[in-house]
Amino acid sequence: MLTKRHFVERIRSGIPGFDGLIEGGFPKGTTVLVTGPTGSGKTTFGVQFVYKGAELYNEPGVIVTMEERAQDLRREMKSFGWDIEKYEKEGLIAIVDGVSAVVGLPSEEQYVLEGNINAEDFLRYIYRVVKAINAERLLVDSIPSIAFRLRKEDEIREVLLQLNTILLEMGITSILTTEAPDPAHGRISRYGVEEYISRGVVLLDFIEKEVELKRYLLIRKMRETKHSMKKYPFEITSEGIVVYPSGEIY
């Protein structure tokens, strides 16, 4: 007797070549960790997920930027032809500025994290912004910057568990970014807990090929999804990240 397969609703990533590797997209309501060393493309991956959600699928999204000011993020993303401000005005994207107060600069953003915010206030504020635009997608960039922001790195595990619980309750599809200290030796997150609370883990990294560094992507984990454990080449093009699932597999 054939058993009926459980249907999993998918959220398309907006990243060419990627969704075919994960059965059509991220499981809706899941939390995905995107990890890798500096310069591997984590922020671009996350912003592309939110931006393309607004542009292609009319799905509102929130970007929590903890590493650079919102105005700098908007300017950088214009190099891909992404007009984030357009979708902010339409209520499809909201950016939370988590940097200005920390470095002592005034902010003219609509959504700003205060300088002396604690973990509970941080979680409550993110929840409020998500509800304000009925967001279906969320990017938090990045986890190490949250720890620095809170000034208490020993509390980061508890904060991450709380954040993950809140995101799952809201049913929002989220990308969290973190640093991978040493992917070659299995250290793919700064605190060693991020990959366990996340329902999906995507590693972006470099490999040396003929004295040149090449980018590759590896899906370490994706719940409710059949996926390959191969390393796939990707590029950061003038229009964003493109994955080559049928290209050379490293």
Side-chain angles (χ1 to χ4, degrees):
M1 182 177 174
L2 292 175
T3 56
K4 190 174 181 181
R5 192 179 174 195
H6 172 62
F7 173 75
V8 178
E9 189 174 353
R10 301 279 168 178
I11 295 291
R12 288 170 285 188
S13 67
I15 295 170
F18 181 69
D19 289 351
L21 305 175
I22 52 171
E23 297 192 291
F26 297 118
K28 186 174 182 178
T30 205
T31 302
V32 177
L33 181 73
V34 175
T35 183
T38 302
S40 55
K42 302 182 296 294
T43 298
T44 303
F45 190 104
V47 173
Q48 188 165 340
F49 168 70
V50 172
Y51 184 84
K52 292 298 179 179
E55 181 187 52
L56 302 177
Y57 312 121
N58 203 42
E59 294 174 357
V62 173
I63 298 170
V64 183
T65 175
M66 310 290 289
E67 298 201 338
E68 55 188 328
R69 293 182 302 166
Q71 63 196 59
D72 297 328
L73 184 70
R74 290 188 194 95
R75 186 182 65 252
E76 287 175 20
M77 295 304 149
K78 280 184 178 178
S79 66
F80 300 121
W82 302 345
D83 186 357
I84 292 176
E85 198 169 1
K86 171 181 183 290
Y87 293 106
E88 287 181 277
K89 290 175 180 175
E90 294 177 10
L92 281 169
I93 292 179
I95 299 183
V96 178
D97 180 354
V99 175
S100 293
V102 173
V103 298
L105 292 173
S107 177
E108 296 180 356
E109 299 296 328
Q110 182 177 358
Y111 302 108
V112 186
L113 288 171
E114 297 174 3
N116 58 350
I117 202 166
N118 59 33
E120 190 175 318
D121 290 338
F122 171 80
L123 295 169
R124 187 181 294 116
Y125 193 82
I126 300 308
Y127 180 88
R128 197 181 98 197
V129 178
V130 165
K131 289 297 185 184
I133 68 165
N134 294 315
E136 297 180 45
R137 300 175 181 228
L138 170 70
L139 165 65
V140 178
D141 185 38
S142 67
I143 288 172
S145 295
I146 295 175
F148 172 78
R149 185 76 161 62
L150 299 172
R151 309 287 185 189
K152 294 181 180 179
E153 290 201 6
D154 57 327
E155 291 183 0
I156 192 63
R157 291 170 181 259
E158 185 179 344
V159 171
L160 290 175
L161 287 168
Q162 290 176 326
L163 176 62
N164 189 52
T165 300
I166 288 172
L167 296 177
L168 290 173
E169 283 183 3
M170 286 193 292
I172 192 168
T173 309
S174 310
I175 286 180
L176 314 178
T177 69
T178 195
E179 291 290 327
D182 190 3
H185 294 93
R187 294 187 63 208
I188 62 167
S189 66
R190 176 74 68 87
Y191 305 102
V193 69
E194 298 99 311
E195 67 261 39
Y196 298 109
I197 64 158
S198 302
R199 297 179 64 82
V201 177
V202 178
L203 171 67
L204 309 181
D205 201 2
F206 303 96
I207 192 168
E208 189 171 332
K209 298 284 287 185
E210 299 171 357
V211 302
E212 184 180 1
L213 283 179
K214 301 278 192 179
R215 288 184 166 92
Y216 75 83
L217 174 150
L218 171 65
I219 302 160
R220 289 280 298 250
K221 177 173 76 172
M222 195 67 61
R223 298 274 178 87
E224 301 178 280
T225 304
K226 289 181 180 179
H227 64 87
S228 167
M229 292 291 281
K230 295 175 181 175
K231 297 176 180 178
Y232 292 96
F234 77 93
E235 290 181 340
I236 301 179
T237 73
S238 60
E239 296 180 350
I241 288 178
V242 178
V243 180
Y244 302 107
S246 58
E248 179 188 3
I249 298 175
Y250 302 144

